[in-house]
Amino acid sequence: MHDDRSITEHRLRRVLKERIKPAVHTRPVPLTVERWEAPGEPVPVAEALAAPYGPCAAGDAWGPAWGTTWFKVTGAVPADWAGRTVEAVLDLGFDRMMPGFQCEGLVHRGDGSEVKGLNPYNDWVRVADRAAGGERVEWYVEAASNPVLVDHAPTYEGDRLTASGQPLYRLARMDLTVFEPEVWELVQDLEVLYDLMTQLDGGDARRYEILRAVDSALDEVDLTDVPGTAAAARARLAGVLAAPANASAHRISAVGHAHIDSAWLWPLRETVRKVSRTASNVVALMDQHPEFVFAMSQAQQLDWIKTHRPGLFERVKKKVADGQFVPVGGMWVESDTNMVGGEAMARQFLYGKKFFLEEFGIDTKNVWLPDSFGYTAAMPQIVKLSGSTWFLTQKISWSQVNKFPHHTFWWEGIDGSRVFTHFPPVDTYNSDLGGAQLAHAARNYQEKGRGSRSLAPFGWGDGGGGPTREHLARARRQRDLEGSPRVEVERPDAFFEKARAEYGDAPVWAGELYLELHRGTYTSQAKTKQGNRHSESLLREAELWAATAAVRVPGFGYPYEDLERLWKTVLLHQFHDILPGSSIAWVHREARETYARVREELRGLTLAAQTALAGRGEEELVFNCAPHARRGIPAGGAGRPRTGGEPVTVEERHGGGHVLANGRLLVEIDGRGLLVSAYDLEEGREALAPGAAANLLQIHPDFPNMWDAWDIDSFYRNRVTDLVDLDALEVTESGPEAATVTVTRSFGSSTVTQSVTLRSGAKTVDLVTDVDWQETEKFLKAAFPLDVKAERTASETQFGHVYRATHTNTSWEAAKFEICAHRWIHAEEPGWGVALLNESTYGHDVTRDVRPDGGQTTTVRLSLLRAPRYPDPETDQGRHTLRFSLAPGANLGDAVREGHALNLPERVLTGGGPVDPLVAVDEDAVVVEAVKLAEDRSGDVIVRLYESRGGRATASLTPGFPVSAAVESDLLERPLAGTAVRPASPSGTIPLTLRPFQIVTVRLHRR
């Protein structure tokens, strides 16, 4: 037989595109269209409905960047359409290839209620299933003219302050039509069979069976009367569509989804509208398809619907109760997990799960994070303590070098906790359930022979509107179809229950899930990162002192509502395209403004509590919010600091520069303004490699192959410029308490001033870098070559630290050429180490080299600033103040203590006398992470603490107030199953035993 596959396939493609698909909607009648341009930002629906509308017609240009145009659409169903299915086609001028990244619309009735969203693959609105004829149509379309920003080219359209005012779109059509159900079904039949056929091997008999059936069906189609012949064509396809799947066919649990970034190439306010458009589509689809299941994560997005669209929210709640609309994720937003602090990660779950419980009565058991840029090794324990049992992501499939070896596995965290985890092998969180994607999922699935199931999230994302009726049609046809995986639309929990039952002995992956891509997100948009770190620290302070005042000071009210609101604001900005610095200029401009407001409000809350605690008096009191005592002031207490320590001396250095000493450290700064010695006087050990200079600023070109704000590629290291030219070098402070040497340099169009300070009694060198950064596509690093033979470094992460090798023996280690650390990174050889501490920097790199003298230099560098041009062409331009410290002779405990000290500065007030801590812990390895009052307003005190050094620890927790009982709780402050309630002992202490990196939350019931 002649091979005529290509002829039939080409015939099918053309007939589908040019004849059959256009025949789905017939007999178009133009609707009457009027328009009104909303001034500035979006307006309430009621205001738009009452606005004065002017004439408009198909073909008219509309929509400047970030504008809102309201279209009023009216008409009547022709009388001779009685008994027919009638739909309107409302095409705003869509580009069919970019759902979610262009104009979008939301259709309203005259009373303001939502009908459904409009997007490139969902531009129809049902008028009547069986028209009577004469029905009146009146809708109002809120159309958002969002600019297209996906081409990775620098643009100023990413902020309404700099965007152009020219219309971006042209209205295509707004027609009443007759919807031809049989033609639509034929389209679905042919598309499913074409996709399946082209995925089958050329020698597979099944492929030829489908080919001949398609050829026969096309013979039945009268191209001049597609609606009249569609049924006959479908009959020719019935046999091949009825053939059941093979017994061994892969099983796919299809879960409706719409991945909506809470901000990215649009601002937060546009996401508020995107989620309403998508939710309105979803609930409308559920009304027609009771089998449809949709999973939505991010409590924040549902809260936006509740706030801005209460009627729609009630419809969502009903669908949740019916089991079709499934809240997933358990977090306030789909946050970044690399840079979010430990307590903030706990609050993501606290406030996310609390919302789902209060609004829907659902205790979510899942973590749904398909798109974050790598996953901290601390996550499994946090997941378990939130009451969740499984984890899903897809993003690791983006790794550039190493293919992750599992799709279903147990993920083990730094403390030993394990969570059942799945990576969908379909390799997308926006599946179309097409044959190509399903075939890829089946081929790609790595658990063959042990497991047989995977999950596929389907639907158009990023505001594309979610699943469509076409997606559901594909799922129905592929439920049991020969040559295809079996597809079942079901809830994600159902998939995980089946997968775990089938494959409970899945392999274990221990440690972080490092994404070998998007490493630049540890550094881009430094002020956003700084705002996050400072906000986390300020929230800790405000809660600690407010809780202490609420317990100790009669009449002091704990600011529950303010703190919850501020926490949710910070949690929102930890979304995985805000905190990582990968959003448009508008997002980061607003983030800077928001963080400034958060800072001022939290400082006000803290000051009010501290003032109440200090009382009246003129005694100078230092408040210590850090989890360790310093200068004689206990952790969580206030008093007069202890003085002591040798005075700091400053001398001229032979050959130029200065020498600072305080009896513990001797620091040399040469004539170039670089650190050339950091000598540990107590241990008789030099921290810096011989002949090398530290605090060395280095600049690299920074032009990755793609994803400018997201990526740095390893070849950036091939070219480096050391910034050693000096403008000024001077001693700017010299006294017994502290000495400072200030260095000023110029480079390119930028200037930098660095202050090097040594303080009395300190074992750290404090470094402050003020930069006026005016570079483009450059990468600024600060290098510290250490005389330490370190096989690995420890980097702080949430509630502990993670080790990473300094060598590049395998491709897995080599791929980690940029890593994330929180407040510190530590390099050590047995008996002695060095910590590099920071106040708001996350990106680091570590390299090793062997010197001619045989010693090893371990160079640790902080990634200070980048200057990518997409999606924000002005990324990081302007002034920055970055603080970091070098701690020679530091062990892990020192790193933890000094990292907190740098990030939690002392506060000085006057008052009547010392303030005792609300709670105290007698073991330095056990760190108190949070002290607050319980969310249920009971007045109970919540204390969260963890073992910080990676070893076992025993400690006593001593409340500074009468306690009737102590209960170990989960992150939602509920009693933890299987743990004892500890009555208060006569001494008031609570004994604790912690395994390495264990997190313990204790609820203290006040007497």
Side-chain angles (χ1 to χ4, degrees):
M1 182 182 291
H2 299 297
D3 187 353
D4 58 356
R5 285 176 302 171
S6 63
I7 296 173
T8 299
E9 290 167 6
H10 188 97
R11 178 191 184 193
L12 173 58
R13 289 194 298 270
R14 184 178 184 194
V15 172
L16 255 180
K17 178 181 179 182
E18 298 184 22
R19 292 293 187 271
I20 301 178
K21 284 186 176 181
V24 169
H25 290 102
T26 62
R27 304 171 68 178
V29 175
L31 290 157
T32 300
V33 183
E34 300 171 271
R35 68 190 285 180
W36 175 69
E37 302 288 345
E41 286 296 277
V43 300
V45 174
E47 181 179 338
L49 297 181
Y53 284 75
C56 181
D60 286 359
W62 69 277
W66 306 116
T68 301
T69 302
W70 283 81
F71 295 102
K72 182 178 180 180
V73 182
T74 56
V77 176
D80 62 350
W81 290 6
R84 307 296 295 269
T85 302
V86 178
E87 291 185 348
V89 177
L90 306 178
D91 186 343
L92 300 174
F94 297 122
D95 181 331
R96 303 290 167 178
M97 300 305 293
M98 292 187 296
F101 297 99
Q102 53 177 297
C103 61
E104 300 170 28
L106 180 58
V107 182
H108 302 77
R109 299 178 184 89
D111 62 4
S113 61
E114 304 83 8
V115 180
K116 66 189 294 286
L118 297 176
N119 59 69
Y121 291 110
N122 208 337
D123 62 358
W124 57 272
V125 181
R126 180 64 58 90
V127 177
D129 294 335
R130 289 180 60 85
E135 290 96 332
R136 296 291 305 172
V137 171
E138 180 180 292
W139 292 316
Y140 294 80
V141 179
E142 180 186 12
S145 47
N146 301 330
V148 176
L149 302 175
V150 293
D151 60 359
H152 294 272
T155 176
Y156 285 90
E157 295 292 285
D159 192 335
R160 65 183 178 86
L161 300 183
T162 56
S164 66
Q166 298 302 310
L168 300 178
Y169 298 99
R170 194 168 295 278
L171 197 64
R173 64 182 290 200
M174 288 197 168
D175 297 334
L176 278 180
T177 70
V178 172
F179 175 72
E180 305 286 356
E182 202 68 23
V183 178
W184 183 85
E185 296 286 359
L186 176 60
V187 171
Q188 312 317 310
D189 291 345
L190 290 171
E191 288 192 333
V192 165
L193 290 171
Y194 175 79
D195 284 353
L196 174 58
M197 177 174 60
T198 54
Q199 292 302 310
L200 295 172
D201 184 77
D204 193 322
R206 172 67 168 161
R207 177 166 182 156
Y208 287 90
E209 289 174 0
I210 297 172
L211 185 77
R212 301 308 169 206
V214 167
D215 208 24
S216 178
L218 293 177
D219 289 340
E220 288 291 337
V221 176
D222 182 345
L223 300 185
T224 65
D225 183 17
V226 174
T229 54
R234 293 194 69 209
R236 296 296 184 95
L237 301 173
V240 289
L241 284 168
N246 299 326
S248 61
H250 184 64
R251 297 177 182 271
I252 291 180
S253 296
V255 179
H257 185 48
H259 176 74
I260 303 177
D261 288 305
S262 288
W264 179 26
L265 301 181
W266 46 84
L268 288 167
R269 68 89 156 142
E270 192 56 30
T271 315
V272 173
R273 301 202 293 179
K274 281 176 174 282
V275 296
S276 294
R277 296 176 198 128
T278 297
S280 65
N281 273 346
V282 167
V283 295
L285 197 59
M286 288 173 179
D287 289 339
Q288 299 297 319
H289 299 274
E291 81 281 8
F292 173 38
V293 171
F294 177 80
M296 187 170 182
S297 65
Q298 306 193 67
Q300 171 69 87
Q301 295 188 358
L302 286 157
D303 191 43
W304 280 332
I305 299 174
K306 178 185 176 184
T307 301
H308 298 278
R309 302 279 180 174
L312 176 59
F313 189 69
E314 289 306 311
R315 295 169 66 196
V316 168
K317 287 186 75 170
K318 182 181 183 305
K319 296 301 183 183
V320 171
D322 292 343
Q324 288 184 270
F325 198 116
V326 184
V328 293
M331 299 173 72
W332 190 247
V333 296
E334 289 184 11
S335 75
D336 170 78
T337 79
N338 290 310
M339 295 170 284
V340 172
E343 188 58 27
M345 188 65 76
R347 301 304 175 93
Q348 287 284 355
F349 286 96
L350 168 62
Y351 289 117
K353 296 195 68 167
K354 179 184 172 188
F355 181 90
F356 293 143
L357 278 164
E358 291 176 351
E359 297 297 337
F360 308 124
I362 292 176
D363 186 3
T364 55
K365 297 298 182 184
N366 47 70
V367 181
W368 183 281
L369 278 176
D371 191 32
S372 292
F373 310 147
Y375 304 92
T376 169
M379 183 65 85
Q381 182 179 195
I382 297 170
V383 169
K384 289 193 71 173
L385 288 175
S386 75
S388 302
T389 56
W390 57 260
F391 181 89
L392 178 142
T393 186
Q394 177 272 323
K395 199 69 173 189
I396 298 299
S397 69
W398 287 40
S399 284
Q400 289 176 307
V401 180
N402 298 286
K403 181 177 175 64
F404 195 81
H406 314 297
H407 282 113
T408 301
F409 60 100
W410 289 94
W411 180 22
E412 181 179 305
I414 56 175
D415 74 311
S417 295
R418 292 180 179 179
V419 60
F420 195 69
T421 300
H422 181 66
F423 292 173
V426 71
D427 283 350
T428 177
Y429 41 79
N430 295 318
S431 175
D432 61 8
L433 296 185
Q437 290 184 358
L438 298 185
H440 173 76
R443 287 192 299 264
N444 190 37
Y445 181 63
Q446 297 187 94
E447 318 308 321
K448 296 182 185 75
R450 301 293 303 279
S452 64
R453 300 176 182 275
S454 68
L455 186 147
F458 70 92
W460 303 112
D462 292 321
T468 64
R469 57 189 180 186
E470 288 78 14
H471 292 135
L472 295 177
R474 290 171 194 159
R476 284 194 301 273
R477 285 161 174 79
Q478 295 170 109
R479 182 180 176 87
D480 189 11
L481 180 62
E482 184 183 355
S484 169
R486 284 190 173 91
V487 177
E488 183 173 1
V489 176
E490 61 181 346
R491 296 166 61 92
D493 281 340
F495 161 75
F496 273 91
E497 289 166 3
K498 294 173 184 175
R500 183 169 175 178
E502 174 185 69
Y503 198 25
D505 60 344
V508 176
W509 179 272
E512 69 181 324
L513 298 172
Y514 179 91
L515 178 64
E516 296 172 0
L517 196 72
H518 294 357
R519 304 168 184 88
T521 57
Y522 311 149
T523 305
S524 296
Q525 298 287 359
K527 288 185 178 176
T528 298
K529 292 170 170 58
Q530 192 168 68
N532 176 73
R533 179 78 71 83
H534 289 179
S535 295
E536 290 179 346
S537 297
L538 289 165
L539 280 161
R540 174 196 176 99
E541 287 190 75
E543 285 187 336
L544 170 65
W545 302 123
T548 306
V551 173
R552 296 270 175 76
V553 180
F556 186 89
Y558 188 79
Y560 291 103
E561 289 78 12
D562 290 336
L563 287 168
E564 180 170 337
R565 174 176 47 81
L566 290 163
W567 262 116
K568 287 178 178 178
T569 299
V570 173
L571 299 179
L572 167 59
H573 286 78
Q574 291 174 341
F575 178 75
H576 65 252
D577 275 309
I578 303 179
L579 179 54
S582 47
S583 288
I584 56 174
W586 189 345
V587 173
H588 292 289
R589 171 175 58 79
E590 286 192 332
R592 293 190 293 271
E593 296 165 358
T594 298
Y595 284 130
R597 291 193 299 270
V598 167
R599 178 175 63 248
E600 291 309 307
E601 192 167 352
L602 286 171
R603 284 178 174 172
L605 293 176
T606 298
L607 181 60
Q610 290 176 331
T611 300
L613 288 165
R616 297 189 177 187
E618 299 302 319
E619 182 177 348
E620 184 176 278
L621 302 174
V622 173
F623 282 76
N624 176 22
C625 182
H628 302 91
R630 53 183 170 185
R631 297 207 293 162
I633 302 168
R640 298 188 65 178
R642 182 179 62 227
T643 58
E646 292 186 21
V648 182
T649 61
V650 183
E651 297 179 357
E652 295 292 321
R653 178 178 177 274
H654 179 70
H658 306 279
V659 179
L660 313 181
N662 67 355
R664 304 188 74 191
L665 291 178
L666 186 146
V667 177
E668 293 188 39
I669 302 162
D670 72 3
R672 301 169 296 173
L674 301 174
L675 286 178
V676 291
S677 177
Y679 193 79
D680 181 350
L681 293 167
E682 294 174 333
E683 297 293 332
R685 174 73 184 261
E686 174 62 56
L688 304 182
N695 195 31
L696 171 65
L697 297 179
Q698 297 178 305
I699 198 163
H700 298 267
D702 186 14
F703 192 67
N705 288 341
M706 195 178 175
W707 302 104
D708 290 11
W710 293 258
D711 284 355
I712 53 174
D713 289 323
S714 59
F715 53 72
Y716 85 88
R717 292 177 172 175
N718 296 347
R719 184 176 174 185
V720 60
T721 301
D722 294 343
L723 303 182
V724 296
D725 292 341
L726 194 65
D727 293 344
L729 173 64
E730 57 183 331
V731 176
T732 52
E733 181 182 9
S734 179
E737 294 300 317
T740 300
V741 174
T742 300
V743 183
T744 304
R745 308 181 194 279
S746 300
F747 59 95
S749 301
S750 305
T751 58
V752 58
T753 299
Q754 288 192 293
S755 298
V756 183
T757 300
L758 186 64
R759 304 181 192 280
S760 174
K763 196 75 180 287
T764 62
V765 184
D766 297 331
L767 306 154
V768 178
T769 301
D770 290 303
V771 189
D772 182 6
W773 181 244
Q774 301 296 335
E775 305 307 301
T776 298
E777 295 171 349
K778 295 290 192 292
F779 196 6
L780 183 66
K781 292 260 189 177
F784 291 81
L786 307 176
D787 189 11
V788 176
K789 188 179 188 303
E791 298 302 308
R792 61 184 186 176
T793 57
S795 297
E796 191 192 31
T797 190
Q798 297 91 348
F799 301 107
H801 58 263
V802 62
Y803 287 109
R804 299 184 181 98
T806 59
H807 62 73
T808 55
N809 283 0
T810 73
S811 59
W812 293 88
E813 285 97 18
K816 296 181 181 180
F817 59 82
E818 184 80 2
I819 57 176
C820 182
H822 284 208
R823 287 168 288 218
W824 52 266
I825 185 169
H826 183 257
E828 184 178 36
E829 60 187 46
W832 197 83
V834 180
L836 190 57
L837 320 158
N838 73 82
E839 185 210 36
S840 60
T841 297
Y842 295 92
H844 297 74
D845 75 274
V846 181
T847 54
R848 60 191 284 185
D849 192 24
V850 175
R851 305 186 299 267
D853 66 1
Q856 178 181 309
T857 299
T858 301
T859 300
V860 180
R861 298 197 302 170
L862 297 98
S863 302
L864 301 182
L865 293 167
R866 298 185 65 216
R869 299 191 63 210
Y870 176 81
D872 176 4
E874 301 288 340
T875 300
D876 282 332
Q877 301 297 289
R879 296 184 176 275
H880 302 266
T881 298
L882 304 166
R883 293 177 173 85
F884 38 96
S885 299
L886 181 69
N891 58 30
L892 283 172
D894 297 327
V896 173
R897 183 184 63 253
E898 296 297 345
H900 278 100
L902 179 61
N903 282 266
L904 297 166
E906 298 170 340
R907 310 288 185 191
V908 181
L909 275 76
T910 57
V915 177
D916 292 333
L918 190 62
V919 295
V921 176
D922 64 355
E923 168 57 62
D924 272 359
V926 178
V927 170
V928 174
E929 180 75 1
V931 178
K932 62 187 285 289
L933 294 195
E935 294 291 320
D936 62 7
R937 313 302 201 254
S938 63
D940 292 347
V941 175
I942 303 295
V943 181
R944 189 153 22 253
L945 39 79
Y946 69 100
E947 195 289 315
S948 65
R949 300 180 188 174
R952 293 186 180 273
T954 57
S956 294
L957 173 65
T958 303
F961 56 94
V963 171
S964 61
V967 181
E968 188 174 350
S969 304
D970 67 8
L971 298 183
L972 274 69
E973 302 169 7
R974 304 170 297 194
L976 207 56
T979 60
V981 176
R982 298 183 178 92
S985 67
S987 65
T989 62
I990 300 158
L992 299 171
T993 301
L994 285 79
R995 66 177 181 272
F997 298 131
Q998 183 180 0
I999 305 165
V1000 174
T1001 302
V1002 180
R1003 185 179 186 123
L1004 301 173
H1005 296 281
R1006 293 160 60 189
R1007 277 210 298 263

